[in-house]
Amino acid sequence: MGDLSQLLQAASDFSRYPGVQSDDSARDFLNRFPLTLIINALQTNFDVPDIENTLVACVEKLFNTTLGASLILQYMPFVQVGLQAESQAVRSLSCKTVSRLLESVDNDDKVAASARLIKDFNIYPLLLDCIIKGDEQVAAVAADAITNLAGFPEGMEIIFPSSKVGEIDLELIASQCSSLGRVRVLALVVKLFSVSRSAASTVYSLNLLKLLEEELRNADDTLVTLSVLELLYELASIEHSTEFLSKTSLFELLSSMISNNSVESILRSRAIMICGRLVPKDIIHSFTDEPCVKAVIASIDGRLQSLNPSDIDECETALESLGHIGSSTQGATLLLSGSSPAARHVIDAAFERQGPQGHGKQLAALHALGNISGETRSKNSIILNAEAEENLRRLIYETATRSSKLTPSGLFRSVLQQDAEIRLAVYRVISGLVARSWCLMEICSKDDIINKLINPTIETTKIGMEARYNCCKAIYQTLTLSDSVSAFTDIYAKVRFRYFIHIQHRMICAFKIYNNTRLSYLIGFQF
C-alpha cells in the first residue's frame, strides 16, 4: 500500500503538470514506475479511491510524449483489454491511445507495423463496439481513432475489406442497433467521408450514403431525423461532398421535406440550410441537372409564400439560404429567372420595415440581396444574363413603387438611416448593385446618400468602416469606368478623396505595425 500511495502521488503530480511533459520527465517517471506496474495497479485496485481517474490521466499524459508514444506498440494487448473494459474512463483512454499511435507514425514501416497490430489484435471491431455501446465521450474518441486509421491506405483496407465481414459491416451494424447507435454509425460514415476524396469515393461506392437517405424517408422520430439533418449539414460543408451527394436522391428528399407542411418547422429549416450550403457550389452544375436545382429553389420559394408572419425563424433561414444560393453566378441567375423569380422574397423583405420583431428578417434579406447582387463575386461575374438583370432592376423598382419611397434611391436612403447592423448590410447591397448603370444613377444623383456614404464618423466599428470603404470603393471604380463620370464630377471627386484617404490610413497603420514589430524584435535581440 505504501508503494501504491507513492505511485498515486507521483501520477497525480505528473498528470497535473501544466502543458506537455518532456521525454526526460516521462523517462524519469517510468524508471520509478514502469508502465506494467501502472497498468497492473489500474486493473487490480478497483477499491482504492480515485485511483482510476489518477492513473488514466497519468497514462494519457505519458502517451502524449514522444517517448510514451513509441511504447504503445509494445502494449497493444493492454489496449485490446482496455477497449473491452467496463470502465468508460479506461475505454476512453484506450481509444485515445490508438489515436496517439496513429498520429505518431512517421514512416511507411511504422504505418505497416501499426496496421498489422491493429488487425492482429482485432482493434477496429472493438472501436466500433465503443461507438455503439460507449458513453458519449467514449463514442467520440473511438470515432476519432477510426478516422485517424482511415488516413492511411492500410487503415482503409481494415475498415473496408474487399469482402464484407459482419462484425464490421457498417450497413448491417446500423440495421441492428438502437436509434442512438444508428445515429452514431451515420456520424462515423460522415467522418470517414470527410477524410479524403478517395475515402468519400469508397463510402459512396459501398452505398453507405443511402443510410442517410433511408433515415430521411422514415422520419418517424423527430430527434433522429434532426440528428441526420445535422450530419447532412456537416457533410454539405465538405469540399468534395457535392460531387457525390448530387448522385443521390438527397436533393429530392430535402425538397420534399421543405415543401411538406406537416413536417416540423425545425426540420424544414435545417433542410433549407443544407440546400443553401450545397447549391451555391459551382461544381454542382457539373453533376446535377438544372431541373433538380430549380426544384430546390422552387421548394424554398413555395415555403416562403406559405409562411405565416409569426414564422420569423423559418423565414430568416429561408432568406439566408437564398442568399447563399445567390452567391454564385449560376445560383443568382436561377433566383432571378422566370416570370416570378424567387429573389422577389429577398427584395421585398430587404426594404420592408417590420419593427423590432422583423429586424432579423430584414437583416437576413439585405445580406442575401448583397450576395445576389454580386458583392461576394469577382468583378467579371457580378453582371448576370439579360433576363436576370432585367428582373433584378424590375423587382427593385416595383418594390420602390409600392412603398412610400417611390424610387430605389428612396429605399437606399431609408435603410441607411437604420441601425449599424442594417447599414453594414446596405453597404454590401450597394457595393454589388452599383455595378449596374441604373443603380449608379440612383446613388450618385442624390447628394444626401453620397454624403452619408463618405461620412468618416458614421461608423465606429472596424467591420462597419471596412464595409463603408468597400462601398465607396465600388462606386469610385464604377464611376472611373463609366461614361457618366463627367455628369458626376463632384461625386467622383468626393468618393475618390475618401477612397485615397482610406488607402493612406491603411498604409500608415501598416507602417506603424511594421515599426512596432521591428522595434520589439530589436529589443528582444538586445536582451
Side-chain angles (χ1 to χ4, degrees):
M1 288 300 296
D3 290 342
L4 184 60
S5 176
Q6 290 179 17
L7 170 60
L8 285 177
Q9 184 59 53
S12 177
D13 293 341
F14 188 87
S15 62
R16 291 179 180 176
Y17 178 83
V20 179
Q21 287 278 18
S22 68
D23 281 355
D24 289 338
S25 298
R27 187 176 291 105
D28 291 343
F29 184 89
L30 290 171
N31 285 337
R32 292 178 59 200
F33 306 101
L35 203 51
T36 49
L37 176 68
I38 301 172
I39 293 171
N40 182 61
L42 192 59
Q43 291 176 328
T44 57
N45 295 275
F46 305 112
D47 54 340
V48 178
D50 208 35
I51 187 171
E52 183 178 85
N53 291 335
T54 302
L55 295 184
V56 162
C58 175
V59 174
E60 184 177 341
K61 199 97 171 182
L62 278 167
F63 284 152
N64 278 334
T65 65
T66 304
L67 174 66
S70 69
L71 301 174
I72 295 174
L73 284 175
Q74 304 170 34
Y75 289 88
M76 288 304 284
F78 296 102
V79 174
Q80 182 188 46
V81 172
L83 289 171
Q84 301 171 80
E86 292 184 11
S87 164
Q88 297 296 314
V90 173
R91 276 187 153 194
S92 176
L93 171 64
S94 301
C95 294
K96 290 177 182 178
T97 302
V98 176
S99 282
R100 178 61 184 141
L101 168 66
L102 295 167
E103 290 165 356
S104 65
V105 295
D106 53 9
N107 59 58
D108 292 343
D109 291 339
K110 288 183 179 180
V111 170
S114 300
R116 185 169 57 253
L117 284 175
I118 285 173
K119 189 173 183 178
D120 290 346
F121 285 95
N122 212 35
I123 298 298
Y124 175 58
L126 295 176
L127 289 171
L128 284 177
D129 191 64
C130 286
I131 286 178
I132 296 162
K133 298 178 182 176
D135 63 17
E136 188 175 350
Q137 182 188 4
V138 169
V141 292
D144 289 340
I146 293 174
T147 305
N148 286 328
L149 182 61
F152 304 99
E154 296 88 343
M156 285 295 288
E157 290 174 7
I158 293 172
I159 297 170
F160 300 116
S162 54
S163 57
K164 283 195 173 184
V165 181
E167 65 176 351
I168 60 173
D169 184 346
L170 295 180
E171 186 177 354
L172 180 62
I173 292 171
S175 67
Q176 294 176 342
C177 57
S178 65
S179 58
L180 175 60
R182 206 160 58 247
V183 169
R184 288 178 175 179
V185 172
L186 294 179
L188 176 63
V189 169
V190 173
K191 275 183 168 290
L192 293 173
F193 188 93
S194 69
V195 170
S196 64
R197 191 191 175 283
S198 173
S201 179
T202 301
V203 168
Y204 173 77
S205 64
L206 291 173
N207 241 353
L208 292 177
L209 292 180
K210 77 174 183 182
L211 298 177
L212 295 162
E213 297 178 56
E214 288 171 359
E215 288 298 331
L216 289 186
R217 286 193 181 94
N218 305 321
D220 301 327
D221 187 325
T222 300
L223 287 177
V224 171
T225 305
L226 184 59
S227 297
V228 173
L229 288 170
E230 293 293 339
L231 291 174
L232 278 174
Y233 186 73
E234 182 182 335
L235 197 64
S237 66
I238 300 169
E239 184 179 356
H240 48 263
S241 63
T242 307
E243 175 184 346
F244 297 100
L245 293 181
S246 60
K247 299 173 185 176
T248 69
S249 59
L250 281 170
F251 277 119
E252 291 85 344
L253 289 170
L254 291 170
S255 296
S256 176
M257 182 174 287
I258 294 168
S259 303
N260 191 343
N261 290 328
S262 63
V263 171
E264 292 192 37
S265 176
I266 189 172
L267 300 180
R268 284 196 303 267
S269 293
R270 295 310 287 177
I272 289 170
M273 291 176 72
I274 294 164
C275 292
R277 272 200 168 190
L278 285 173
V279 174
K281 297 182 179 180
D282 290 332
I283 194 173
I284 194 172
H285 300 279
S286 302
F287 297 99
T288 305
D289 293 335
E290 189 172 290
C292 182
V293 178
K294 285 183 175 179
V296 171
I297 294 174
S299 65
I300 301 174
D301 182 359
R303 191 65 209 147
L304 281 166
Q305 280 185 341
S306 62
L307 285 175
N308 296 318
S310 58
D311 300 323
I312 298 292
D313 291 341
E314 194 173 344
C315 182
E316 287 181 24
T317 300
L319 292 170
E320 286 177 15
S321 183
L322 291 180
H324 287 306
I325 293 171
S327 61
S328 71
T329 303
Q330 296 94 331
T333 301
L334 290 174
L335 290 177
L336 287 164
S337 298
S339 57
S340 184
R344 71 189 186 282
H345 299 290
V346 173
I347 294 169
D348 287 344
F351 299 108
E352 184 181 357
R353 291 294 294 269
Q354 301 173 22
Q357 287 187 335
H359 181 273
K361 177 182 175 181
Q362 185 180 24
L363 186 63
L366 283 166
H367 278 296
L369 182 55
N371 288 352
I372 293 169
S373 65
E375 191 267 346
T376 58
R377 299 194 294 272
S378 64
K379 290 180 182 179
N380 296 332
S381 57
I382 290 178
I383 303 299
L384 308 171
N385 64 29
E387 181 192 14
E389 285 298 326
E390 175 54 27
N391 278 335
L392 176 61
R393 188 195 66 80
R394 176 178 60 80
L395 287 171
I396 290 179
Y397 273 95
E398 287 178 355
T399 300
T401 303
R402 291 195 303 269
S403 73
S404 59
K405 311 305 175 187
L406 302 179
T407 62
S409 57
L411 293 177
F412 296 136
R413 185 188 299 110
S414 174
V415 287
L416 280 170
Q417 293 170 354
Q418 296 184 47
D419 62 83
E421 275 190 314
I422 294 291
R423 286 200 307 274
L424 188 149
V426 178
Y427 295 143
R428 293 190 61 237
V429 171
I430 294 175
S431 297
L433 286 178
V434 81
R436 286 89 180 166
S437 57
W438 60 266
C439 184
L440 182 67
M441 295 291 289
E442 289 285 346
I443 296 296
C444 292
S445 62
K446 305 297 178 183
D447 285 344
D448 54 344
I449 294 179
I450 290 295
N451 289 336
K452 201 168 189 68
L453 292 175
I454 66 173
N455 185 349
T457 63
I458 194 171
E459 301 301 337
T460 57
T461 64
K462 183 177 183 298
I463 189 171
M465 293 175 188
E466 286 292 328
R468 187 185 63 81
Y469 159 71
N470 288 333
C471 185
C472 291
K473 176 183 174 183
I475 296 171
Y476 165 68
Q477 291 179 337
T478 307
L479 271 175
T480 301
L481 301 172
S482 172
D483 296 334
S484 305
V485 65
S486 58
F488 299 109
T489 51
D490 287 346
I491 302 296
Y492 181 74
K494 285 180 181 180
V495 292
R496 185 175 184 274
F497 173 75
R498 183 53 52 197
Y499 171 68
F500 281 108
I501 284 292
H502 190 93
I503 292 291
Q504 187 180 36
H505 177 69
R506 277 184 162 185
M507 291 176 65
I508 291 170
C509 289
F511 185 69
K512 285 181 178 178
I513 292 170
Y514 168 76
N515 278 341
N516 288 339
T517 305
R518 184 169 179 270
L519 181 62
S520 301
Y521 171 76
L522 291 174
I523 291 173
F525 182 77
Q526 282 183 336
F527 285 96

